[in-house]
Amino acid sequence: MSKKRILITGTGSYVGTNLIKWLNQWPDQYVIEEISVRGEEWKKKDFSMFDSVLHVAGIAHVSTDPKMEEQYYKVNRDLTIEVAEYAKNQGVKQFIFMSSIIVYGDSSSYKRIIDGTTVPEPSNFYGNSKLQAEEGIKTLENESFKVAVIRPPMIYGKNSKGNYPKLAKAAKVLPLFPDFDNVRSMLHIDNLSEFLRLIVENEERGLFFPQNKEYVKTSEMVKDIAHLHGKDIKLVKIFNFVLKPMIGKVKIVNKVFGNLIYDMEISGYKEDYQIRNLKESVKKSM
């Protein structure tokens, strides 16, 4: 059996680094490389030896500064399309793009379920740059060039960035935490890595919405993290009347206590990629 050859754009990315570790379990089946797509040097790279390009290079959701808007479109949209065109011209069979649940807008104060009929409505230029990249690369698709777009929810795991490590830090030091009723889709890095492996293995095309088997209530996850660190954290409802009106208005409150979920039906796949349950994934993220 010939090895699958995968090129990851964006050196040292969280998703790319973990996928390499994951695929190292099958050294006889996968050859995987990373490449930086900053500057022009990457255009000298021979892509023709690769079966799949996984495009994870981009600017993450770190700024709402209007001065950054042009840069977001330049990197997240224009560069994505340029790399996809280059891959296609070099004879690569599959292009996998890491988009985001953010194309549907921010989390909300009510239980909002995204299903197969939900139309994307980005609420900022980060989400819009991702959506426009998706639209741009879809036009390149044909029988010999398959395009797979992945729209993951919040990705977390050991050494992850973003909100998860902040929650974990809070869980270790706070005696109390708001018992706020919310629900979120999340995706552990091992579940994502296995999903990406299957997408490559099965030479998939189309739009995908991977997530964990279980939805997450923020307060319950914080309690699980605290428990694994030998701490006892008390969940209390006394802050809820203050928090509720802040959702949708205060960024950090929205990210921690807002609602944003995929319907489980659109996250199913013909093979099982959800190999870590919530408790196990929290343990592995320590």
Side-chain angles (χ1 to χ4, degrees):
M1 190 174 79
S2 63
K3 292 182 178 185
K4 288 274 188 190
R5 304 182 74 91
I6 305 157
L7 181 65
I8 299 173
T9 65
T11 48
S13 71
Y14 186 67
V15 170
T17 302
N18 280 279
L19 181 62
I20 291 167
K21 280 187 209 161
W22 189 254
L23 295 182
N24 282 344
Q25 296 175 86
W26 301 276
D28 299 334
Q29 292 179 46
Y30 303 100
V31 174
I32 189 159
E33 275 185 47
E34 286 181 303
I35 185 174
S36 169
V37 284
R38 289 181 177 180
E40 302 293 312
E41 198 63 27
W42 63 271
K43 294 174 185 173
K44 296 175 187 172
K45 175 79 174 173
D46 181 8
F47 280 26
S48 66
M49 66 182 79
F50 296 97
D51 302 295
S52 303
V53 169
L54 171 62
H55 186 67
V56 295
I59 306 175
H61 190 193
V62 291
S63 174
T64 51
D65 184 348
K67 290 177 191 163
M68 286 289 290
E69 185 168 358
E70 191 184 340
Q71 191 66 9
Y72 271 83
Y73 286 110
K74 197 174 169 185
V75 175
N76 289 352
R77 178 192 61 195
D78 301 347
L79 181 62
T80 299
I81 296 166
E82 194 179 3
V83 173
E85 283 173 342
Y86 187 80
K88 182 182 179 178
N89 292 337
Q90 293 254 311
V92 175
K93 295 181 202 137
Q94 184 191 42
F95 188 82
I96 305 165
F97 174 52
M98 288 298 293
S99 187
S100 169
I101 196 172
I102 204 72
V103 299
Y104 295 103
D106 285 324
S107 45
S108 62
S109 56
Y110 57 93
K111 190 175 173 182
R112 181 170 159 240
I113 303 171
I114 296 161
D115 62 23
T117 65
T118 307
V119 177
E121 278 187 83
S123 58
N124 53 44
F125 48 77
Y126 170 66
N128 204 29
S129 66
K130 286 285 192 184
L131 185 61
Q132 287 185 22
E134 288 183 19
E135 290 162 353
I137 60 175
K138 274 183 206 159
T139 64
L140 302 172
E141 189 170 34
N142 58 27
E143 276 314 302
S144 56
F145 186 67
K146 295 177 177 178
V147 173
V149 172
I150 319 290
R151 287 181 184 163
M154 185 173 119
I155 299 163
Y156 69 102
K158 193 174 178 66
N159 301 320
S160 61
K161 291 174 183 170
N163 289 318
Y164 184 82
K166 291 172 190 165
L167 282 177
K169 196 175 176 183
K172 287 183 262 185
V173 297
L174 294 177
L176 306 172
F177 194 82
D179 186 4
F180 195 85
D181 200 17
N182 76 319
V183 63
R184 297 192 77 91
S185 289
M186 289 177 69
L187 182 61
H188 186 259
I189 190 64
D190 287 357
N191 291 342
L192 174 59
S193 296
E194 177 60 6
F195 185 76
L196 290 172
R197 185 185 76 82
L198 293 170
I199 291 294
V200 168
E201 198 61 47
N202 297 324
E203 297 174 8
E204 294 285 9
R205 67 184 345 145
L207 190 55
F208 300 92
F209 313 89
Q211 66 175 323
N212 288 350
K213 269 181 186 158
E214 308 122 291
Y215 294 133
V216 175
K217 180 180 173 182
T218 305
S219 57
E220 292 296 338
M221 176 176 253
V222 166
K223 194 169 186 178
D224 284 346
I225 296 167
H227 183 71
L228 284 165
H229 285 276
K231 305 278 182 189
D232 187 26
I233 195 165
K234 194 173 181 185
L235 301 180
V236 295
K237 294 186 181 287
I238 55 170
F239 306 112
N240 291 6
F241 78 99
V242 178
L243 291 170
K244 194 159 189 180
M246 292 167 81
I247 292 175
K249 293 171 187 154
V250 180
K251 191 177 169 187
I252 186 68
V253 176
N254 210 38
K255 284 191 168 186
V256 176
F257 297 108
N259 295 274
L260 193 60
I261 59 169
Y262 281 135
D263 187 326
M264 283 292 173
E265 275 194 23
I266 64 170
S267 297
Y269 189 63
K270 59 193 174 191
E271 293 180 65
D272 184 24
Y273 67 90
Q274 296 161 321
I275 50 173
R276 306 272 182 245
N277 64 33
L278 188 60
K279 276 197 161 53
E280 191 185 354
S281 73
V282 168
K283 198 170 186 178
K284 287 194 79 70
S285 302
M286 286 169 71

